[in-house]
Amino acid sequence: MKNLDDLIRSVSRMADEDRQPPSPPLHPPLSPPLSPADLLFYAPCPVKLAVKDALDALADAHTGTGDSLAVHIPMGCTSVDPYDPLHRETDPDRLPQIIASIGFGDFFRRGFVERFVDAGVFAAPLPAGVTPMHHAAGIVDPDGRYLVYGLTPYIFLIDRKRLGDLPVPRRWADLLDPRYAGQVNMCGDGDDMADAVLLSLHKDFGMQGIARFAANTRGLMHSSRMARSGGAPQAGGIYILPYFFAETTRQPEHMQTVWPEDGAAASPLYMLAKRSARPRLDRLVDFFATGFGRIESARWFLPLTGPLPESLPQGAAIKWIGWDYIRATDITALRDRLNGEFRLLVKARAADAGHGPTGDAACAS
C-alpha cells in the first residue's frame, strides 16, 4: 500500500478534478445504457483503488473458469455515472447482480426499496465473526436484505489553539451549545454531505437540533482539507470528518482526535446481492462479507468482521440510526431535505456573520 500521506494527497487531487464534473446529458436515460453488470461498485475514495485491485484479481480468477465478469466501478469522487438513474428502474432483470454502495443514497429510496428490497430480490449473507462493536450497535440487518460490510465513522478533530478556553466537546449534543458558535467545520459541499451526522442529530434532537448545529457551523469543506497538518486556514476549532482523515495525517500537538463518547456517527458501506447471484458470484459476495477487512486502508472504515484499527480508544462505540428508524422513514428523502435545509441555515449564518462559508469541495465519505 502506498504511504498514507501520498494517499491523502491522491484523494485531494481526485476532489480537485471533480470540482468541475462533466455536464450530464440533457435527457438522462431511465435505465443504464449498458447491459446489467455482475457488480456495480461505489466506495469511499480512500479505499476505492485498493478495493478495485482486489476485485480485479477476483474477476481475473473467475475468468479462469471460462466465465467473465462484468464489473463497473466509477472512478473519481463525485463524477456523473451512467448508472446514476438505476434506482428508478422497474425491471429486476435490469439490475446488476450485486450492488455495492455507500451512505443513505438511492438504494435506500422508498420506491427502490418497495420494488426490490421488500419484494425479496436481494438476500444478504450472515457472516460469522461480527465484531462486538458492530453487534452492540445493531449493524446487521435483521431482515437479511442489506449487508453493511463496513462503516464511515465521523468523529471530531479539535484545534485546541482555535478553540481557546472553550472545553473540548465530547458528545454530539455538545456541538449544539451556543458557546461553540462559528467553531464547527462540517464535512461536505457540492451534492455530498456527512449524511449520518445530520440524520443522527435529527433523530435525537429534531429540526431544532439541526438549526442549533447549523448556528454553530462556520462552513463546509472537503475532509482532505480538514486533515491538513494543523488544520485549514480561516476555520473554526472543531472539524467533523471521517476517522480515516483524522488519524492518517501527521498533526501537531495542539490537534486532538476525539471519538465521541456516545459513538461515531456511522454511514454504511453496504452490499445488495440478488438471490440469483448465488452460487455463481459467491467469491464476490464473500469478499464483501469477510474479505474487505484484509485491505489495510479498509480498517479505518470499520469492517464488519474486523480487524479494526489499533488506534480505536477503549470503549469506542458506533452511533447507528438503527434499522427500525430506516424502515419507518423514507431515509433518503429525509437525508436530502436535511442536506438542503442545513446548507441554507449555514449560508444564512455566514451572511449574518459577514463572511462566506469555508470550503469548496465535496466530502470524501
Side-chain angles (χ1 to χ4, degrees):
M1 179 183 168
K2 66 171 73 174
N3 178 279
L4 283 171
D5 287 338
D6 292 339
L7 182 55
I8 289 286
R9 284 191 288 270
S10 70
V11 171
S12 183
R13 284 196 298 271
M14 291 170 76
D16 290 340
E17 292 170 358
D18 283 336
R19 287 177 188 171
Q20 295 181 331
S23 298
L26 292 177
H27 302 286
L30 290 176
S31 304
L34 312 174
S35 299
D38 291 310
L39 171 64
L40 172 64
F41 174 72
Y42 302 95
C45 293
V47 295
K48 183 177 293 186
L49 293 178
V51 175
K52 181 180 183 301
D53 288 344
L55 292 174
D56 285 345
L58 287 174
D60 289 344
H62 191 89
T63 300
T65 68
D67 178 23
S68 61
L69 294 181
V71 176
H72 183 70
I73 306 175
M75 302 310 293
C77 295
T78 59
S79 53
V80 174
D81 179 72
Y83 281 86
D84 281 348
L86 183 65
H87 68 279
R88 297 157 59 190
E89 184 56 71
T90 58
D91 182 357
D93 291 337
R94 292 181 62 83
L95 297 178
Q97 291 294 305
I98 298 174
I99 298 170
S101 193
I102 55 178
F104 295 100
D106 288 338
F107 305 116
F108 279 96
R109 289 194 185 277
R110 176 160 288 169
F112 183 89
V113 170
E114 290 176 347
R115 289 193 300 276
F116 304 120
V117 180
D118 291 345
V121 173
F122 304 105
L126 182 61
V130 174
T131 76
M133 183 169 69
H134 290 84
H135 181 74
I139 299 301
V140 175
D141 179 3
D143 291 338
R145 309 289 172 74
Y146 294 86
L147 174 69
V148 177
Y149 65 88
L151 299 162
T152 298
Y154 290 91
I155 53 87
F156 312 154
L157 178 63
I158 307 299
D159 185 336
R160 295 197 304 272
K161 284 185 177 180
R162 289 180 179 160
L163 205 59
D165 295 332
L166 292 173
V168 172
R170 298 293 177 181
R171 301 175 66 86
W172 289 99
D174 294 343
L175 301 186
L176 311 187
D177 193 312
R179 63 184 166 182
Y180 293 113
Q183 286 285 356
V184 177
N185 310 289
M186 179 64 163
C187 170
D189 208 358
D191 293 329
D192 206 356
M193 178 65 73
D195 54 6
V197 173
L198 294 184
L199 288 168
S200 293
L201 290 174
H202 183 267
K203 180 185 177 185
D204 291 347
F205 307 106
M207 276 308 301
Q208 183 181 33
I210 296 293
R212 290 167 61 189
F213 180 62
N216 289 345
T217 300
R218 183 178 182 85
L220 314 172
M221 68 178 70
H222 193 281
S223 302
S224 62
R225 292 191 63 216
M226 293 182 176
R228 289 175 181 171
S229 182
Q234 299 179 342
I238 304 167
Y239 300 87
I240 298 174
L241 75 170
Y243 190 53
F244 171 88
F245 287 94
E247 285 288 291
T248 57
T249 50
R250 300 182 183 93
Q251 295 289 349
E253 291 185 359
H254 65 87
M255 303 294 290
Q256 175 183 352
T257 299
V258 174
W259 190 282
E261 292 176 355
D262 50 339
S267 184
L269 282 61
Y270 65 93
M271 180 198 72
L272 288 164
K274 285 184 177 179
R275 296 178 186 275
S276 59
R278 316 295 295 271
R280 173 174 170 260
L281 301 182
D282 275 352
R283 288 185 179 182
L284 288 178
V285 173
D286 291 343
F287 169 79
F288 290 105
T290 60
F292 177 67
R294 289 194 287 270
I295 296 173
E296 184 178 352
S297 58
R299 297 182 185 187
W300 304 102
F301 294 88
L302 308 186
L304 180 66
T305 56
L308 302 176
E310 295 179 358
S311 61
L312 282 181
Q314 186 174 4
I318 296 168
K319 190 173 181 62
W320 173 246
I321 60 173
W323 289 104
D324 288 344
Y325 188 71
I326 292 169
R327 297 279 192 256
T329 311
D330 188 346
I331 202 69
T332 308
L334 176 60
R335 179 205 67 167
D336 293 346
R337 179 169 68 85
L338 294 178
N339 187 329
E341 294 187 13
F342 176 74
R343 290 175 190 278
L344 290 175
L345 290 168
V346 171
K347 185 177 180 180
R349 191 214 67 83
D352 290 342
H355 60 77
T358 59
D360 55 3
C363 175
S365 56

